[in-house]
Every structure is written in C-alpha cells, then in structure tokens.
Amino acid sequence: MNKLIIYNLAFGAFLTGTAEFVVSGILEIIANDLDVSISVAGQLISVYSISYALGAFFLVLLTAKLERKVVLLSSLFLFFIGNIVAFFSYDFIFAMLSRIILAMSGGLFTVVATNYAANLAVPNKKGKAMAAVTTGFTISLAFGVPIGTLTAAYIDWHYIYIIIAGFTLLNLFLLNKLVPKLEAESSVSLKKQLSVIKDRKVVTGLLTTLFWILGYTLVFAYISPILSQGANFTIEMISTTLLVLGIFAFIGTQVGGTMADKWGSSKVITCSLIVHGISLFLMKPFLSSTITILLVIMIWALATWTTTPAMQVYLISLRPNTSEILLSFNTTVMNIGMSIAAGLGGLVIEYTSTFNLSWIGGVMIILALAIVSYSFVLNRNEHKTKGDLYNS
C-alpha cells in the first residue's frame, strides 16, 4: 500500500513538473502568441520560481500545525484551479496569474508530498522514497514536456493545461482514498524550526542548492533558443531532445536516491557536481554536432538530477526533527535560484549571446562544489567533536 501511495505522490509531482517545465520547451511559441519578446516570456519562468519559493516556504510555515493530508489535498485542488486559469490565459497578465497560482500550490504540494514519502518509508529507504517523488518531477521532463511541446506545435499550447487539470482531478481522488492522515511536526516550535538557518552546515548546504540550480537553469530555461539558434534544431528535434533529457533525468534521480542510501549522500553530491560542471563547459564547443550535443545533454541531465535526492538526504540528516522545514527551505532556495537564473539568462541573451549561458552555468557549479565541500567539513568536524565528548 505504501508503494502505491508513493507512486501517486510521484504522479502529482509529475503533473506539477509538467506545468512548470513545459514553458521552457514552448517559450518561443508563447512569446509569439502573447506578442512579447523571448526575454520577457522568460519571466514567466522567473515569476513561477519566485511564487514556487513562496509556496514552498511561507505556505509550509503557515500550514505547519495543520494535519498534512488536508494540506496535501488542498494544495492539489489549488493547482487544479491554476491550470484552469492557464487554459484561459490569452494575454500576458493572465498567463502571469496562472503561473503564480500553479507555482504556489505546486511548491506546497512538492514539499508535503516529499515529506510524506520519507515518513512512509523505512529508515534505510528514505532516500529512495524521496527520489520516487522527485522521479515524478523528472518524468515530466521525459514525457510531459515533450508531449506538451508537440501539442503546442500542432494544436494550441493552452490545451496542455486543460489536460493537466483533468489528470489533477484524478490524482486528487486517488490520494484522498489512499493517503493516511499524518500529524504535523507539532512538537517543534516555529522559532526552533526557523533556527535551522543559524546552522552553518545547513546554510552552506542550501547555498550549494542555490548555485547548483543556477548552473542548471541558466541553460535549461533557454534550451529551446540555444538548440534552435546554435544547432539549427526544429521544434520536433527540440521535443526529441527534451525527451532524451527527461529520460536521463529520470535515471539520475533513481541513481541518486539509491546511491545516497548505499554510499552516503556526500560522495554522490561531489561526483554528480563534478560531472555536471564538466558537461556544461563542453556544451558550447559541441553545439555544431547533433550527436555529440545529445550525448553531452544526456550526461548533463544524469548528473544534475542525481544531485537532487542526494541533497535532500544530506539536508534531512543534518536536522531530522525538522525534515519538512528543511525540505521547504531547500525547495525555496531552488526556486529562488531558478528565478535568478531566468532573469540573469535573459540579461545574458539581451546584451551578449545565448551561447554564453553554458559556461556561466559551469562557473556556478564550481562554486556549488566548493561550498558543499566546506559543508561536509563542518559536518564531519561536528560529529568528531560529539564523538570526542562522548568518549571523554
């Protein structure tokens, strides 16, 4: 039964991921339809990220004392409403409004769903359980986004959201039937929950997430113009590339969750960041070769999404009694990073070249690797100090 519940939580994450990521694949289509520039349309990604961060942080805090099943289902219902608004978005203002509703509800759902999965799993399978929810998110890259991109190419991008709305109602029904009640972490006061940001290990861990997602989103948010302008990809070729990217992202979450449980999160995070950085630096030189750039994108997606569950496991290990709050902080920082990346990417395109995005992203990954190495040192020193005190 727990597996069935986790699969349904993952399905909800798939729907929220599709609503979020599909814009990257159809950015040029939306820009033309709403009569705005690509850099302006890119702010739909930026606004989504800011709103997602608010949902993942403030809404989690505001609902912290409520029974979690109620919060889970309410967030999914609001997500349904957001899709209806998106379907009727025929100007830029309504498109923005739909993104805000979708993002805030999606942010809240993702945090609560991930924490649900961790609570339903046995102790040595928490990484795998959380990876399952993240997998739902990445499957949206593999199937939801490419299908949405093709839908936009041949019908109308608005219909993507009415389809998502229909599946959201189905998911809402299933989760209502299957999910057990889960009490809030009421034993931990709000003040104590917020105090985690005073912990240098947590802060450096969150900064790692910030620079890691900056490096990724600088390229992913503008993957469509990068491939169309740099590699002369058609909309069908971009859709196929997104399918390939999503498949390897899916594999990455599986590898990341399993290996974090088996080898430890620190090794997985270190290795994945190194590969991630190298792949970004290789992207620009190989844009002219279709086969090579596809190979680079495969490695890039695999490395990026291997980091995700490993980072979640690492953060929860730092403060197990405030796991949901830590996940909300992590999700918030991720989306702040996405927002900054979307804005920064727009500026890079506006004033320099689209093709500079990949090496700038690579620099961000180097910073993430340096910061997380420091976080690991702090964590090891603390455990060593506690061990010495215990032995004495």
Side-chain angles (χ1 to χ4, degrees), residues 47-113:
V47 166
Y48 190 100
S49 299
I50 293 169
S51 302
Y52 198 102
L54 292 173
F57 180 59
F58 289 111
L59 291 185
V60 169
L61 288 177
L62 289 173
T63 62
K65 293 185 178 180
L66 299 178
E67 196 272 315
R68 306 324 286 163
K69 181 176 180 178
V70 172
V71 177
L72 185 79
L73 298 180
S74 298
S75 64
L76 205 55
F77 179 73
L78 285 174
F79 179 73
F80 165 77
I81 298 298
N83 280 287
I84 298 300
V85 175
F87 177 67
F88 291 104
S89 297
Y90 287 95
D91 62 53
F92 193 69
I93 299 300
F94 267 91
M96 280 286 193
L97 177 62
S98 71
R99 298 294 283 174
I100 291 168
I101 298 170
L102 287 168
M104 292 190 75
S105 57
L108 179 58
F109 175 83
T110 302
V111 172
V112 178

Side-chain angles (χ1 to χ4, degrees), residues 44-314:
L44 289 172
I45 299 169
S46 183
V47 166
Y48 190 100
S49 299
I50 293 169
S51 302
Y52 198 102
L54 292 173
F57 180 59
F58 289 111
L59 291 185
V60 169
L61 288 177
L62 289 173
T63 62
K65 293 185 178 180
L66 299 178
E67 196 272 315
R68 306 324 286 163
K69 181 176 180 178
V70 172
V71 177
L72 185 79
L73 298 180
S74 298
S75 64
L76 205 55
F77 179 73
L78 285 174
F79 179 73
F80 165 77
I81 298 298
N83 280 287
I84 298 300
V85 175
F87 177 67
F88 291 104
S89 297
Y90 287 95
D91 62 53
F92 193 69
I93 299 300
F94 267 91
M96 280 286 193
L97 177 62
S98 71
R99 298 294 283 174
I100 291 168
I101 298 170
L102 287 168
M104 292 190 75
S105 57
L108 179 58
F109 175 83
T110 302
V111 172
V112 178
T114 305
N115 195 54
Y116 245 110
N119 276 276
L120 291 170
V122 294
N124 65 336
K125 297 291 183 180
K126 287 185 182 293
K128 193 173 183 178
M130 288 188 291
V133 177
T134 306
T135 295
F137 213 62
T138 54
I139 288 177
S140 70
L141 285 170
F143 299 105
V145 174
I147 291 170
T149 303
L150 287 175
T151 301
Y154 292 106
I155 308 174
D156 185 328
W157 65 270
H158 294 89
Y159 284 94
I160 298 168
Y161 292 98
I162 203 68
I163 293 168
I164 296 173
F167 280 113
T168 300
L169 281 181
L170 174 63
N171 191 229
L172 190 59
F173 172 79
L174 291 171
L175 287 174
N176 184 48
K177 290 288 184 183
L178 296 172
V179 171
K181 289 186 176 181
L182 178 65
E183 293 304 316
E185 296 170 343
S186 55
S187 59
V188 182
S189 67
L190 180 60
K191 183 178 179 180
K192 189 172 181 181
Q193 291 180 53
L194 291 173
S195 71
V196 298
I197 59 174
K198 295 179 181 178
D199 188 331
R200 285 191 297 165
K201 303 186 306 298
V202 172
V203 171
T204 48
L206 293 173
L207 283 174
T208 301
T209 294
L210 176 66
F211 284 101
W212 156 70
I213 204 67
L214 265 171
Y216 173 71
T217 309
L218 271 170
V219 174
F220 181 76
Y222 297 96
I223 193 71
S224 180
I226 287 171
L227 293 176
S228 64
Q229 296 171 22
N232 295 317
F233 276 28
T234 63
I235 187 70
E236 290 82 7
M237 291 172 73
I238 291 170
S239 180
T240 302
T241 302
L242 288 171
L243 174 63
V244 171
L245 189 155
I247 290 170
F248 278 83
F250 164 74
I251 295 169
T253 56
Q254 297 300 298
V255 171
T258 303
M259 293 301 99
D261 287 332
K262 188 175 180 180
W263 293 344
S265 56
S266 59
K267 291 180 181 178
V268 178
I269 292 167
T270 301
C271 292
S272 62
L273 285 176
I274 290 171
V275 176
H276 186 166
I278 291 171
S279 64
L280 283 176
F281 282 113
L282 290 176
M283 198 168 285
K284 183 180 177 181
F286 291 115
L287 265 177
S288 58
S289 171
T290 301
I291 298 299
T292 309
I293 194 60
L294 279 174
L295 181 61
V296 171
I297 287 172
M298 289 175 193
I299 296 169
W300 172 55
L302 182 70
T304 300
W305 290 93
T306 296
T307 308
T308 311
M311 202 68 214
Q312 290 172 335
V313 172
Y314 174 65

